[in-house]
Amino acid sequence: VIHWYKQKEGEAPERFLFFSGGKITIGSGFQANRYMVERISVQKQCVLTIKDVIPDDAATYYCAYWDPHLTGYYNKVFGSGTKLVVSEKGSSPPANFEILQKKHENQITYVCLIEKFYPEVIRVTWTDDEKEVTDNVVKGDTWQSTKEDEYSIASWLTVPAENKDKKYCCKYEHEEGEVSLPTQVDSAKTAPQEENCGTVFNRGNLILFCLIFVTDQLMHRTAYLVYIILLLKSSMYYLIVLFFIYR
């Protein structure tokens, strides 16, 4: 039995149909003639088709089934979800796609910046010789640019400094297509720390990229100041004690 759930933004998931034995059972409030489900057993797929899409259909859709093999009890397992955007505006690919690089001590951080695309649904991955890299990867959330209906996203990859000559690729998959961009040390955009921080800050969600590199310096300076203050306080106490002793 395959279940389908619909979740609108800010609301709980709602099961609107389930498919069993080639028969569809529709939940109350949903039009049965607008949904078609096909199960392809050989490929282990279940395909949901929504006819005559309307703005109210905009949501994230999940398929699910009961699995008894995980712990001996039945557990409902959900898919990762598919977000449906309904809009009169046509889709547009990213207007800017670049990789920024910053070396800090024994690490190199690559920031894959993808700007001004629509709709906001996009998948960003890092690869190493066609193999997907998942360790030390941070993916940011999409944010809306100043212009309406334009979105941007960033993803971070941190690698050891000895891998500086190794080629990694940042790849995005969008409704308008798939594009992959390699990291090239000699051609990657680099800049002084102050300039990187300014650029990152102006791009909103990337402010953490700047903070990562200045945190260590701030911690060292703070510790140094605290040490000086404690040393001065100890000296003052010592002088006061000596004053009363010799008096």
Side-chain angles (χ1 to χ4, degrees):
V1 181
I2 303 297
H3 306 261
W4 285 93
Y5 285 79
K6 175 182 179 180
Q7 183 178 25
K8 290 189 174 183
E9 190 171 354
E11 298 181 9
E14 178 182 14
R15 190 183 72 165
F16 65 95
L17 70 81
F18 65 88
F19 183 73
S20 176
K23 181 183 177 182
I24 301 176
T25 302
I26 304 290
S28 61
F30 294 92
Q31 300 177 7
N33 60 346
R34 296 187 57 235
Y35 301 98
M36 182 177 70
V37 179
E38 179 185 8
R39 183 171 180 174
I40 307 173
S41 299
V42 177
Q43 299 178 0
K44 297 183 178 180
Q45 292 182 354
C46 185
V47 182
L48 168 67
T49 302
I50 305 176
K51 301 177 183 178
D52 303 321
V53 174
I54 58 177
D56 189 60
D57 292 323
T60 300
Y61 291 84
Y62 298 90
C63 61
Y65 73 100
W66 290 102
D67 189 344
H69 303 297
L70 294 179
T71 60
Y73 298 94
Y74 278 90
N75 295 275
K76 182 165 279 190
V77 181
F78 285 78
S80 57
T82 299
K83 186 172 183 178
L84 172 63
V85 178
V86 181
S87 172
E88 294 181 356
K89 175 181 171 64
S91 60
S92 57
N96 181 49
F97 182 27
E98 61 180 329
I99 295 179
L100 306 174
Q101 171 194 328
K102 182 65 182 180
K103 184 177 180 181
H104 180 65
E105 295 182 352
N106 60 343
Q107 292 182 331
I108 298 176
T109 297
Y110 297 106
V111 179
C112 182
L113 182 61
I114 307 167
E115 296 181 295
K116 299 179 180 178
F117 55 87
Y118 184 83
E120 68 269 30
V121 182
I122 194 169
R123 183 171 184 261
V124 183
T125 55
W126 289 90
T127 58
D128 168 19
D129 297 328
E130 303 302 324
K131 179 184 177 183
E132 184 173 348
V133 179
T134 56
D135 293 336
N136 299 316
V137 171
V138 178
K139 180 185 175 184
D141 296 326
T142 56
W143 73 88
Q144 196 165 5
S145 307
T146 52
K147 186 178 177 182
E148 258 186 64
D149 295 335
E150 283 190 347
Y151 295 86
S152 300
I153 194 172
S155 180
W156 294 260
L157 169 64
T158 302
V159 299
E162 55 264 27
N163 290 358
K164 63 180 181 178
D165 296 326
K166 197 170 184 177
K167 186 175 75 173
Y168 298 90
C169 289
C170 177
K171 177 184 177 182
Y172 75 75
E173 299 172 62
H174 187 258
E175 187 173 317
E176 284 294 309
E178 302 178 6
V179 178
S180 183
L181 182 67
T183 58
Q184 297 289 347
V185 176
D186 53 352
S187 61
K189 296 190 176 183
T190 58
Q193 181 173 317
E194 294 77 15
E195 188 173 338
N196 265 350
C197 288
T199 302
V200 171
F201 178 78
N202 290 336
R203 284 171 180 155
N205 290 22
L206 293 185
I207 188 170
L208 290 179
F209 177 62
C210 169
L211 295 179
I212 289 172
F213 298 123
V214 301
T215 298
D216 288 343
Q217 293 183 9
L218 291 176
M219 289 179 63
H220 288 306
R221 290 182 183 178
T222 303
Y224 178 74
L225 290 174
V226 171
Y227 175 76
I228 295 297
I229 292 172
L230 292 175
L231 185 62
L232 290 173
K233 288 179 67 177
S234 299
S235 300
M236 289 177 62
Y237 289 135
Y238 178 72
L239 292 174
I240 292 172
V241 171
L242 285 178
F243 173 78
F244 282 105
I245 289 176
Y246 286 102
R247 185 177 177 183

